[in-house]
Amino acid sequence: REQVPYELVKSGTAFRSQEVFDLLNALTVAVDSSDKVAWLGFLRSAIAGLSDNALMLLARHGDIRDFFLGRTPLPESLNPQDMAAATRAVEFVRDAAGKERRRRAPLSLIDWMIDRSGYQAILRGLPQSDARLRSVDTLRGLATQYNTHRPDPHIAFLEAACRMVERRERETGADAPAHDRVKLMTIHQAKGLEFPVVILPDLLRSDPVRHSDFIVVREDDGPSLAARVKVSGAAEKFPTTRWTLARER
């Protein structure tokens, strides 16, 4: 509301989120059709939308990949909903592994997959949709670094993303270059780091936070924060000089 720039420091959760797995599996299928695990992950994801019963039925008829690479026709025993999803998946894989991969860099191909499958709309309909969409943006941010990578930017990007998943690297953090913004993190995440100013809100708090305890001060060099503080063992909160001046304005 006050337009104060901030950055939420996460602890590597984005690269182990389901939505990132879904997109990496879809990209892997387009780049390396031999990866059976990626195929199963892609087909069960919201991008393809096949049910477990459909996958079991297809497995009984042969190699599941053959149905989606145009080698074997889809069995008519699939129920109408799974048949429609499987047909869309066939077209998706054909285009992704063909013309779209050849003419698109990793970021562009991911965006094409999201748009083609309506994946963003699907995520918006799920709980914690904002966090899910941020995870997708984190993956997209990594993809921008491999748009011109040679000899194959898609393989280079997939290898980098897999390393991030396996090592649970932090996708953003206080050790990244400063961008003149407030960093929000837990005490554990801040361990070993140094900042010129540190705010620990609500320590020893037993009553609900009152907005009057914090005042945003607008100055020529940008907004800043004034606060009342509570000292251990004291029954009342003590106003800082900045807080007192802000209240008098």
Side-chain angles (χ1 to χ4, degrees):
R1 187 179 66 181
E2 301 293 342
Q3 303 300 312
V4 177
Y6 72 93
E7 176 182 352
L8 178 62
V9 178
K10 297 186 283 186
S11 56
T13 56
F15 284 98
R16 298 193 63 81
S17 65
Q18 187 59 56
E19 47 275 7
V20 166
F21 287 150
D22 288 349
L23 289 169
L24 289 179
N25 284 330
L27 189 61
T28 300
V29 164
V31 173
D32 179 12
S33 62
S34 67
D35 192 325
K36 293 183 179 181
V37 174
W39 272 100
L40 290 174
F42 161 67
L43 294 172
R44 292 185 72 250
S45 73
I47 296 176
L50 271 77
S51 68
D52 289 342
N53 288 338
L55 294 179
M56 291 176 62
L57 188 152
L58 293 174
R60 288 197 294 267
H61 283 76
D63 190 327
I64 290 180
R65 295 171 298 174
D66 290 341
F67 297 104
F68 299 94
L69 293 172
R71 300 168 182 166
T72 305
L74 293 168
E76 296 181 359
S77 52
L78 285 171
N79 67 47
Q81 183 176 355
D82 281 323
M83 177 61 81
T87 301
R88 290 193 299 270
V90 170
E91 297 170 351
F92 181 96
V93 171
R94 179 196 64 206
D95 293 343
K99 61 181 181 180
E100 300 300 337
R101 179 193 173 184
R102 289 193 298 270
R103 72 188 186 94
R104 293 179 183 271
L107 176 60
S108 179
L109 184 55
I110 289 173
D111 287 344
W112 176 88
M113 290 178 170
I114 292 172
D115 182 66
R116 174 70 173 264
S117 62
Y119 195 54
Q120 187 175 64
I122 293 172
L123 294 181
R124 289 191 184 280
L126 297 176
Q128 299 180 328
S129 59
D130 289 344
R132 296 176 188 274
L133 292 170
R134 285 196 298 270
S135 294
V136 171
D137 285 340
T138 298
L139 184 67
R140 295 180 68 255
L142 178 64
T144 60
Q145 303 175 32
Y146 293 87
N147 282 342
T148 59
H149 201 279
R150 294 293 181 269
D152 191 322
H154 299 96
I155 292 177
F157 165 66
L158 282 172
E159 290 176 345
C162 288
R163 288 195 297 270
M164 297 290 275
V165 171
E166 293 168 358
R167 291 159 53 185
R168 302 192 183 197
E169 290 187 5
R170 292 170 59 172
E171 64 275 12
T172 181
D175 48 354
H179 295 292
D180 193 23
R181 63 185 64 188
V182 177
K183 294 182 181 294
L184 306 178
M185 66 182 71
T186 66
I187 292 178
H188 295 291
Q189 290 170 330
K191 184 177 181 180
L193 303 177
E194 294 183 359
F195 297 96
V197 177
V198 176
I199 298 176
L200 303 177
D202 302 335
L203 290 180
L204 306 176
R205 177 170 66 88
S206 57
D207 56 333
V209 173
R210 295 196 299 270
H211 291 295
S212 59
D213 291 338
F214 300 93
I215 301 175
V216 174
V217 182
R218 297 187 179 278
E219 299 176 322
D220 294 339
D221 57 348
S224 60
L225 191 67
R228 290 193 299 179
V229 298
K230 187 172 183 180
V231 179
S232 178
E236 60 181 290
K237 296 179 180 178
F238 296 90
T240 61
T241 302
R242 287 179 56 79
W243 186 90
T244 302
L245 293 174
R247 286 281 291 179
E248 293 175 352
R249 290 184 179 180

